[in-house]
């Protein structure tokens, strides 16, 4: 009888936290600085505070479902078990847009950025290089990936703290006239801040990704909710404090465009800080690619193990490293699209997939806890009905803010998934029972 190879439960709380932060990439605050600054009319502190409030409801729902179902699969598992398996498949299929294109975006950004720094080396060389390196690292095991993620995330956090320390030093020298102004200004309309917050919410993506590694986490039912909360709180503290100190130092700052972060570095710390920024940013992009590759391969593994994708391919684990090696190779082959696809197109896929998953995870909490488990005391009604419904409404509103092309493409992807699932089930029904059992 063939022994089933299982994922190893080795990840601790803080390893999970750092993998989530690696996917999120704390340095994304600077890479999106120009866009966020322009969208919020310079009121980044209020915009990030609103974004934290918005994303908290969905983070709570992920925590609740990860406690109830400590399995790999994330939104696919939660919607499938909380609502219905057919809904779970479509949610997992939608989430694939987020997870599949995330490593591709990291590879593409790495290629673009490194080519800008070293113009004599073509971008495709950098893209192919990071593709191969991350493929090998991920196959070697999640614990090794977690160690690298921890080191590189700590490097990013240290840089942000150093940046904030310079800002504090400037404030100490010049004095602060109105310390509450970044939070209390009323010059920018609330509608503008809400629109900016909807954009900034994507800086928090990553807390959800760690739930795909539940079966590689020690005591996942307790660890995952704590990890999600820690990821959100750490990221919020970094983003809001950096925005606050920057606004105090430069109340009349006006920056926009892709080079806004480089201009900010020169203003705060000159050429030395700019050079350090470039170095840390390279490691940040590398780490994000590693974390996102780890995430998507675990989602594919969960769908393969459930036979909603071909099990002999997607449900395969390497007998020695206990990693979904075939998934890792396949995702890296898919990520070669980074050689041809535009960055903004890839981002649209990620946005649609993430928001769709968020919407249904919120509804899964209501379905599982409030309806099926009948947890309806006053406190439970707030936790399992009111909070997740608020989260679903907010995420639904954010979906309407996506452009038409993103919505049309996303819906087409879902329809394709539904057609594939119908064909797959029909094909499985036509296979003789003995053959099906032998194949699985």
């Amino acid at each position: 009888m063939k022994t089933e190879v299982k994922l190893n439960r080795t990840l601790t709380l803080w390893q999970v936290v750092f993998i989530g932060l690696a996917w999120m990439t704390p340095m994304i605050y600077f890479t999106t600085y120009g866009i966020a600054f322009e969208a919020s009319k310079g009121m980044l502190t209020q915009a990030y505070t609103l974004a934290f409030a918005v994303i908290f409801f969905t983070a709570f729902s992920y925590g609740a479902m990860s406690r109830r179902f400590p399995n790999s699969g994330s939104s696919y598992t939660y919607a499938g078990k909380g609502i219905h398996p057919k809904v779970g498949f479509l949610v997992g299929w939608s989430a694939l847009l987020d997870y599949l294109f995330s490593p591709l975006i990291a590879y593409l950004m790495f290629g673009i950025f490194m080519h800008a720094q070293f113009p004599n080396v073509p971008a495709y060389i950098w893209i192919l290089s990071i593709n191969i390196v991350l493929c090998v690292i991920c196959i070697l095991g999640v614990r090794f990936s977690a160690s690298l993620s921890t080191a590189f995330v700590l490097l990013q956090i240290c840089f942000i703290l150093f940046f904030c320390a310079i800002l504090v030093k400037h404030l100490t020298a010049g004095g602060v006239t109105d310390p509450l102004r970044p939070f209390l200004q009323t010059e920018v309309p609330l509608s503008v801040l809400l629109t900016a917050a909807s954009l900034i919410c994507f800086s928090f993506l990553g807390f959800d990704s760690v739930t795909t590694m539940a079966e590689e986490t020690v005591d996942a039912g307790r660890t995952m909710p704590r990890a999600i909360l820690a990821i959100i709180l750490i990221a919020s503290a970094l983003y809001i404090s950096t925005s606050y100190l920057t606004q105090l130092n430069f109340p009349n700052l006006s920056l926009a465009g892709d080079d806004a972060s480089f201009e900010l570095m020169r203003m705060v710390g000159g050429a030395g800080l700019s050079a350090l920024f470039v170095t840390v940013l390279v490691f940040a992009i590398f780490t994000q690619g590693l974390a996102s590759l780890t995430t998507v391969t675990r989602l594919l593994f969960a769908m393969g193990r459930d036979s909603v994708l071909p099990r002999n391919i997607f449900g395969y684990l390497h007998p020695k490293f206990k990693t979904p090696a075939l998934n890792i190779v396949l995702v890296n082959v898919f990520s070669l699209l980074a050689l041809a696809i535009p960055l903004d197109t890839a981002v649209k896929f990620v946005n649609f997939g993430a928001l769709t998953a968020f919407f249904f995870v919120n509804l899964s909490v209501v379905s599982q806890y409030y309806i099926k488990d009948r947890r309806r005391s006053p406190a439970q009604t707030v936790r399992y009905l009111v909070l997740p419904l608020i989260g679903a409404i907010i995420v639904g509103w954010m979906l309407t803010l996506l452009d038409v092309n993103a919505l049309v493409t996303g819906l087409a992807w879902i329809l394709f998934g539904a057609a594939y699932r119908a064909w797959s089930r029909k094909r499985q029904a036509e296979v003789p029972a003995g053959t099906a059992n032998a194949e699985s």
Side-chain angles (χ1 to χ4, degrees), residues 75-98:
S75 57
Y76 157 72
T77 297
Y78 305 153
K81 293 182 179 294
I83 301 176
H84 192 277
K86 291 182 179 178
V87 176
F89 170 78
L90 292 178
V91 171
W93 188 264
S94 300
L96 279 177
L97 285 176
D98 175 9

Side-chain angles (χ1 to χ4, degrees), residues 122-157:
Y124 72 85
I125 295 296
W126 296 111
I127 292 173
L128 291 174
S129 298
I130 191 174
N131 189 306
I132 295 171
V133 170
L134 292 186
C135 181
V136 172
I137 291 175
C138 277
I139 289 176
L140 289 177
V142 71
R143 194 173 180 86
F144 183 52
S145 299
S147 299
L148 276 181
S149 296
T150 299
F152 290 163
V153 167
L154 286 174
L155 179 64
Q156 295 177 62
I157 292 176

Side-chain angles (χ1 to χ4, degrees), residues 22-25 28 94-110 130 134 202 205-206 208-209 284-297 299 331-332 334-338 341 343 345-355 358:
W23 202 107
M24 184 180 290
T25 315
I28 197 174
S94 300
L96 279 177
L97 285 176
D98 175 9
Y99 294 147
L100 270 176
F101 279 87
S102 292
L104 184 151
I105 289 174
Y107 298 172
L108 183 55
M109 289 181 60
F110 187 81
I130 191 174
L134 292 186
F202 300 119
L205 297 185
D208 58 308
S209 67
I285 296 172
F286 180 91
T287 310
Q288 199 275 331
L290 177 61
S292 57
L293 180 59
T294 302
T295 296
V296 65
T297 52
L299 174 59
V331 171
N332 274 281
F334 175 84
S335 296
L336 292 177
L337 285 174
I341 194 170
L343 181 60
T345 300
V347 170
K348 290 176 182 177
F349 282 119
V350 170
N351 292 349
F352 181 87
L355 290 178
F358 287 2

